[in-house]
Amino acid sequence: MPINLPSNQIKLTNVSLVRKKRYEIACYKNKVLEYRSGNETDLDNVLQIPNVFLSVSKGQTAPKEDLAKSFGAKTALNDIILEILKKGELQVGEKERHAQLERVHNEVVDIVAGKLVDPRTKRVYTSGMIEKALAELSSHGAQPHEKGTPNQGGTATAEGGEEGEAKPKVKEAHWTGVVATKSAKSQALDAMKALIAHQPIPVARARMRLRITCPTAILKQAVKSVAEKPAGGDDDAPEEKAKGTVKDRILSYVEQVESQDFIGEEWEAIGFVEPGAFKGLGDFMGTETRGKGRVEVLDMAVVHEDD
C-alpha cells in the first residue's frame, strides 16, 4: 500500500544547511563559502533546491504566509533565499566544522607567510613561525602594546592634554583566530594588519616590484594636481608633495629605485613600492600623464628566500 507524504515535504541528503531566524536553505557542501567569497556565482551550483525550509532534515518547506510575515509580503522567494544565503549561519557537523576551519587556517597562514617579511633581513618567515605568532595574538586577544597612554581599562589620554588636540581614536587591529564565515583572503588581510600592528615578531609587508614608464616631455613638467596624503602622513604633506616635477612625484612613491634609464622619448624606472602606495601612484600616473604614463607590476611580493 503506497504511503502519501504531505505535499510540502521534500527529502534531501548530503547537504550543508544555512539558517537565518527559523528558516533554512539546503546547499551543496563547500559551495556556500565559495559563493560568499565570489568564487561561485551560479546559484544552481550552490542550492540543492531553490526553496526555503522550516526543517530540511524533515523535508518541511516554509509556508508562504510565514515567509510573508518574516520578510515582507512583497519580497520574492529568490530574494529571501539570497538573504539567507548571504547572511545566514552555516550549519555543519563537528568533524566537518573542524576540518573546514583547519583548511581555512592553513590557507590563511600560507597567504600571510608569502606576504610578510622580517624587515631587518627582508627574508620570509616559515609557516610555522607565522602560525605561532598568530596563536600568540589570539591567546592574548591581540591587545595593543602599552605605550604609556592607554590605561588598564582600555581608555587613553591624548598627549599634550590640550583641548582640540586629541586625535580621533583609531580602530585597533585584532586577531582572535579564523572563522568559517569569511574567506581566507579577507582573514589573511586581517591577520597581516594585526601582526604589523602588534609585532609579536618583527614583520613588514613584502614590497611590490614595478616598472614605471613616462614620456620625457611630461617628466619635467610641474605637478598640477594636489598630491594624496599618504597613510599616516602629516596634514601638510599634500601641499609639500605638490611642489616639484612629475618625476619627483613619481619617485616619491618609490621606496627603492633599482634602475632608471631613458629609452628613446620615454623614461623607464624599475623600483620597489610598498603595497599601500601602489594605488596612489597608479592614480597619479593616470591623471597627471593623461594615460601616457604606465605602471607595470613585475612582482606582487618581492621577498628573499633562505638558501
Side-chain angles (χ1 to χ4, degrees):
M1 179 178 176
I3 299 175
N4 295 321
L5 292 174
S7 60
N8 69 333
Q9 287 199 357
I10 302 170
K11 291 293 183 181
L12 295 173
T13 58
N14 194 31
V15 298
S16 288
L17 304 182
V18 181
R19 180 180 297 145
K20 188 174 189 291
K21 298 180 180 178
R22 60 193 184 96
Y23 302 104
E24 300 175 344
I25 56 175
C27 303
Y28 290 104
K29 289 184 179 294
N30 305 323
K31 285 296 182 179
V32 177
L33 292 180
E34 288 184 17
Y35 178 82
R36 288 178 173 177
S37 64
N39 294 328
E40 179 60 72
T41 57
D42 190 348
L43 284 178
D44 291 336
N45 294 332
V46 179
L47 301 173
Q48 286 222 9
I49 187 169
N51 211 338
V52 180
F53 296 81
L54 290 177
S55 174
V56 171
S57 62
K58 296 178 180 178
Q60 184 181 2
T61 57
K64 293 181 180 179
E65 296 78 9
D66 291 5
L67 293 175
K69 289 179 182 178
S70 299
F71 297 95
K74 295 183 179 180
T75 306
L77 178 63
N78 192 57
D79 293 335
I80 296 173
I81 292 173
L82 286 175
E83 182 174 342
I84 297 173
L85 180 59
K86 292 176 181 177
K87 301 179 181 179
E89 182 181 352
L90 180 62
Q91 310 292 309
V92 293
E94 190 62 34
K95 289 184 178 179
E96 185 179 358
R97 182 183 294 108
H98 179 75
Q100 186 180 43
L101 283 174
E102 188 173 1
R103 284 196 301 270
V104 175
H105 173 80
N106 292 338
E107 192 174 348
V108 167
V109 170
D110 287 342
I111 293 173
V112 173
K115 298 291 185 181
L116 295 184
V117 296
D118 185 328
R120 299 165 299 185
T121 64
K122 306 301 181 184
R123 296 183 183 276
V124 295
Y125 286 104
T126 64
S127 296
M129 295 180 72
I130 293 295
E131 193 168 17
K132 288 180 181 178
L134 290 175
E136 182 181 338
L137 289 185
S138 60
S139 65
H140 291 86
Q143 293 300 319
H145 294 306
E146 292 194 10
K147 296 181 181 178
T149 53
N151 59 27
Q152 200 71 12
T155 57
T157 307
E159 292 183 11
E162 297 294 334
E163 271 189 41
E165 289 187 6
K167 295 182 180 180
K169 192 174 181 180
V170 179
K171 186 178 179 181
E172 286 286 348
H174 294 274
W175 178 254
T176 55
V178 297
V179 295
T181 54
K182 294 174 64 178
S183 69
K185 184 177 180 180
S186 65
Q187 293 187 79
L189 290 174
D190 293 338
M192 286 188 283
K193 289 177 183 177
L195 286 170
I196 291 171
H198 302 286
Q199 297 285 320
I201 54 177
V203 293
R205 285 290 297 267
R207 300 175 300 173
M208 302 174 70
R209 185 167 178 262
L210 308 177
R211 176 186 287 117
I212 306 166
T213 56
C214 181
T216 54
I218 298 176
L219 206 61
K220 297 180 181 180
Q221 293 179 0
V223 174
K224 300 174 184 176
S225 60
V226 177
E228 291 183 8
K229 184 170 65 174
D234 298 328
D235 292 337
D236 296 333
E239 294 181 8
E240 187 177 329
K241 272 196 171 184
K243 300 174 183 177
T245 64
V246 171
K247 181 181 179 181
D248 294 335
R249 276 289 306 282
I250 292 173
L251 292 178
S252 71
Y253 289 99
V254 181
E255 184 180 288
Q256 179 184 346
V257 177
E258 183 179 291
S259 65
Q260 55 177 317
D261 199 2
F262 290 95
I263 304 173
E265 296 183 352
E266 278 195 335
W267 170 75
E268 178 183 284
I270 295 176
F272 300 94
V273 175
E274 290 289 339
F278 175 67
K279 184 180 184 300
L281 173 60
D283 291 344
F284 172 77
M285 293 292 289
T287 56
E288 200 69 30
T289 70
R290 297 182 179 180
K292 295 179 180 179
R294 299 183 303 278
V295 179
E296 179 186 353
V297 178
L298 300 178
D299 198 325
M300 283 296 294
V302 178
V303 295
H304 295 269
E305 300 282 358
D306 285 319
D307 295 332

